Amino acid sequence: MIQVPFPPSRAALLLDFDGTLVDIAPTPESVTVPSGLKEDLLRLKDLLGGALAIVTGRPIAQIDHFLPGVPHAVAGEHGVAVRKSPVHDVDHRVLPAVPADWLSGAEEIVARYPGASVERKRAGMVLHYRQNQDAEPAFRSLVGDWVAEPNGFRLQDAHMAIELRPLGVDKGGAVRELMAENPFRGRLPLFVGDDVTDMDGVRAARQMGGDGWLIPDDFPDAATFRRWLHDLSEGHGWGA
């Protein structure tokens, strides 16, 4: 199992949510928070002097719903919205609007393929085909006609989904923004995720002198990662 090469007094944990802290579910709304996870995270937050954050593709309000009162800071929608502490307001980036015909085209495909869905975000959207994989070719044909970058967006694959995200916003930037604030400032970031969208966070953490890991490359699955977190919360697996 991975050993953290420094003590909790020098570390900050920045964690993805779906597929990392919780198992991937058929829909974003149907995830369940495993028993004991909140307690492990709260113990870790105490060990880390508060330096625990969630960096997710979800809106911040959803993290507040699933993990109320747990993280010190949350970066939502890949860094589109950032709340640097429980008492801070949410900072929102000024972002381009999704063209109306892109959204209507996606909704037309959803109407033809029951189980497919469009997850609308404040800046962008996610086209999900996990529940009906026949929708994937239609979605890919649709997005192939979009002129994404000149409109201020980029397209990225995710778990059985295609994400439309604003240019210049990613989890690496969110990690750097949070690490500039107390109680994260001066610590070494440890970032863990499970998706191609998490690679930006991994790279940022490593560039800042910390480390980053991915599921399944470094942990076989989310359950194994949660067991590792539990051991960390009990003081095991930290370096001197």
Side-chain angles (χ1 to χ4, degrees):
M1 192 62 71
I2 291 172
Q3 176 95 2
V4 179
F6 37 82
S9 60
R10 297 183 60 206
L13 269 178
L14 302 102
L15 307 174
D16 175 45
F17 184 69
D18 293 278
T20 303
L21 288 176
V22 299
D23 298 326
I24 294 290
T27 65
E29 298 78 21
S30 61
V31 301
T32 58
V33 176
S35 175
L37 177 62
K38 294 177 185 176
E39 291 76 12
D40 287 344
L41 291 174
L42 287 170
R43 281 197 300 272
L44 277 166
K45 187 165 71 170
D46 285 343
L47 272 177
L48 296 165
L52 174 72
I54 304 299
V55 181
T56 177
R58 288 179 180 264
I60 290 174
Q62 293 185 15
I63 299 303
D64 289 343
H65 169 73
F66 288 112
L67 296 175
V70 174
H72 177 84
V74 183
E77 299 179 56
H78 304 277
V80 167
V82 177
R83 187 177 66 214
K84 297 173 182 175
S85 81
V87 298
H88 272 80
D89 292 332
V90 177
D91 295 328
H92 293 281
R93 293 181 181 270
V94 177
L95 298 165
V98 176
D101 59 319
W102 294 8
L103 181 59
S104 63
E107 290 175 338
E108 287 173 6
I109 291 173
V110 167
R112 298 203 314 266
Y113 294 91
S117 64
V118 177
E119 181 185 357
R120 298 183 65 175
K121 300 194 174 185
R122 202 181 73 87
M125 59 180 156
V126 187
L127 311 178
H128 293 279
Y129 53 85
R130 177 179 299 276
Q131 294 298 98
N132 189 338
Q133 295 180 39
D134 290 340
E136 181 184 3
F139 277 146
R140 294 203 179 277
S141 176
L142 175 71
V143 303
D145 292 333
W146 294 349
V147 185
E149 292 197 9
N151 282 283
F153 293 95
R154 71 170 179 168
L155 290 161
Q156 187 162 18
D157 284 340
H159 285 299
M160 295 206 177
I162 304 168
E163 292 198 37
L164 179 73
R165 295 169 47 197
L167 283 171
V169 177
D170 59 48
K171 291 187 177 181
V175 167
R176 293 183 183 280
E177 185 172 352
L178 292 176
M179 289 301 300
E181 302 289 330
N182 288 327
F184 302 91
R185 184 188 289 123
R187 292 172 176 261
L188 299 172
L190 301 173
F191 180 88
V192 186
D194 75 309
D195 199 351
V196 64
T197 61
D198 294 306
M199 279 305 304
D200 296 310
V202 169
R203 283 189 287 266
R206 290 174 177 172
Q207 289 166 0
M208 298 179 76
D211 211 339
W213 302 294
L214 284 178
I215 298 166
D217 296 349
D218 302 294
F219 301 92
D221 50 37
T224 303
F225 174 64
R226 289 193 295 268
R227 288 194 293 273
W228 181 77
L229 277 183
H230 175 75
D231 288 344
L232 286 186
S233 77
E234 295 193 330
H236 307 300
W238 297 99

